[in-house]
Amino acid sequence: MTANLPRRAGIGLKPVHYHEILDHRPDIGWFEIHPENYLCDGGPPHRYLEAIAAHYPISFHGVGMSLGSAEGVCNTHLKAIRQLCDRYQPAQFSEHLAWSRNDSRFLNDLLPLPYTIESLDVVSSNIQQVQDTLQRQVFIENPSSYIDFKQSDYSEPEFLNRLARQTGCGLLLDINNIYVSACNNGFDPYRYIDSVDLACVGEIHLAGHRIESLPNGQKLRLDDHGSEICKPVWQLYKHANTKLAAHLPVLIEWDNNIPSLATLIAEAAEADRIQQEYCKT
């Protein structure tokens, strides 16, 4: 799987860092944006993004396509994303294996779906529509989940592998999401990684999460991207790198409690260091 992003770590682009990035041009591989934050014609967001995109590769990570919706992808939203892609020509475009739209109403969350024969057909059709419209390969991210569905025909890795084979999409492996889901639902995160067709993976995500205590005493891990990456996630990332055939782009996600730019760059440097040490090619 060939990724168009540099095969090193990048970070999410946040408005609070616009000036520092432009003033100091830090040594970072690339920046990721959520395209939904730029679905306007002009103004400061576009002025800063254009200036930064002149110096760094940019990746689009969509959060509103709702690829799991049985009613299909919203054509108005897809058209707006196509126009933004035409404007900035991002090096890579990714979306989530999730749904957030029903009966033409958008929900402000990325919700999981059962992995059934029927949902595989729905998601495959939606991915194909997005790829045909955007005229590019789309990378699909594994979700974080908090409860298991009562019935599924495939495990999550099987579902992702089948999506890649049926549509030609790439896979985005979110290591934190695997760890969060494994802790919440009681499966082995290492076996999960070993089950994914890593030849289809073109990008990796790393992030922090928080732990909530439920009234029954159980611990629930929430994928909030609001803290540093924890040690078990770094360990899982090391394991993934021992299995990869080549270095990949790696994103440090931090969307809440935004830290200093230096903190993000330090985590990106650690991701690069581990990849250099554990992935030999």
Side-chain angles (χ1 to χ4, degrees):
M1 178 63 58
T2 300
N4 294 319
L5 284 170
R7 294 172 182 271
R8 56 178 297 199
I11 63 176
L13 179 62
K14 302 303 176 189
V16 68
H17 298 144
Y18 282 160
H19 287 285
E20 191 174 357
I21 292 167
L22 290 171
D23 290 345
H24 301 288
R25 306 264 187 91
D27 180 23
I28 190 75
W30 48 282
F31 288 99
E32 180 203 83
I33 68 158
H34 297 305
E36 285 78 5
N37 291 334
Y38 294 86
L39 295 182
C40 53
D41 292 333
H46 282 290
R47 187 166 67 249
Y48 286 109
L49 179 57
E50 286 174 352
I52 292 168
H55 301 286
Y56 296 94
I58 299 294
S59 172
F60 282 9
H61 189 46
V63 294
M65 205 69 81
S66 191
L67 295 174
S69 288
E71 62 191 76
V73 175
C74 173
N75 287 322
T76 301
H77 182 74
L78 183 53
K79 181 180 178 181
I81 295 294
R82 168 66 189 268
Q83 291 173 342
L84 200 66
C85 286
D86 290 345
R87 180 172 180 175
Y88 287 101
Q89 297 295 319
Q92 198 143 284
F93 187 95
S94 55
E95 250 289 353
H96 299 80
L97 178 57
W99 65 278
S100 56
R101 177 172 170 262
N102 182 55
D103 196 21
S104 299
R105 288 177 293 185
F106 284 93
L107 308 170
N108 190 29
D109 210 337
L110 295 167
L111 300 169
L113 59 151
Y115 300 129
T116 63
I117 295 171
E118 182 180 18
S119 65
L120 180 65
D121 288 341
V122 167
V123 179
S124 294
S125 175
N126 289 340
I127 290 174
Q128 199 61 62
Q129 180 187 356
V130 172
Q131 291 187 138
D132 289 346
T133 301
L134 300 185
Q135 292 292 293
R136 61 168 60 227
Q137 183 186 37
V138 172
F139 290 76
I140 304 301
E141 177 182 332
N142 56 289
S144 56
S145 60
Y146 306 102
I147 56 173
D148 269 337
F149 283 88
K150 189 173 183 179
Q151 180 177 355
S152 283
D153 298 319
Y154 311 106
S155 68
E156 190 168 285
E158 289 173 338
F159 194 88
L160 289 165
N161 293 341
R162 286 175 180 269
L163 274 183
R165 285 199 295 269
Q166 288 191 194
T167 69
C169 73
L171 301 181
L172 191 167
L173 200 63
D174 189 309
I175 303 294
N176 179 63
N177 286 357
I178 295 172
Y179 182 73
V180 165
S181 297
C183 291
N184 290 336
N185 299 316
F187 63 81
D188 182 348
Y190 290 85
R191 180 173 294 181
Y192 181 112
I193 287 178
D194 293 344
S195 300
V196 172
D197 184 354
L198 295 179
C200 295
V201 175
E203 186 176 335
I204 291 176
H205 279 190
L206 298 168
H209 63 267
R210 74 174 193 271
I211 303 174
E212 295 281 338
S213 296
L214 301 178
N216 63 4
Q218 289 185 323
K219 303 291 185 183
L220 187 69
R221 293 177 189 266
L222 299 174
D223 176 35
D224 69 344
H225 299 179
S227 58
E228 64 184 7
I229 301 161
C230 68
K231 288 183 179 179
V233 171
W234 282 121
Q235 287 299 123
L236 203 55
Y237 173 59
K238 291 177 183 176
H239 175 75
N241 274 283
T242 65
K243 304 288 183 178
L244 293 172
H247 293 181
L248 291 176
V250 182
L251 179 78
I252 304 300
E253 287 188 299
W254 205 319
D255 297 316
N256 295 297
N257 308 317
I258 306 295
S260 67
L261 184 59
T263 300
L264 294 175
I265 291 175
E267 288 213 319
E270 177 64 4
D272 280 335
R273 186 195 67 75
I274 289 172
Q275 188 152 228
Q276 290 289 336
E277 180 178 353
Y278 288 88
C279 181
K280 302 301 182 184
T281 57

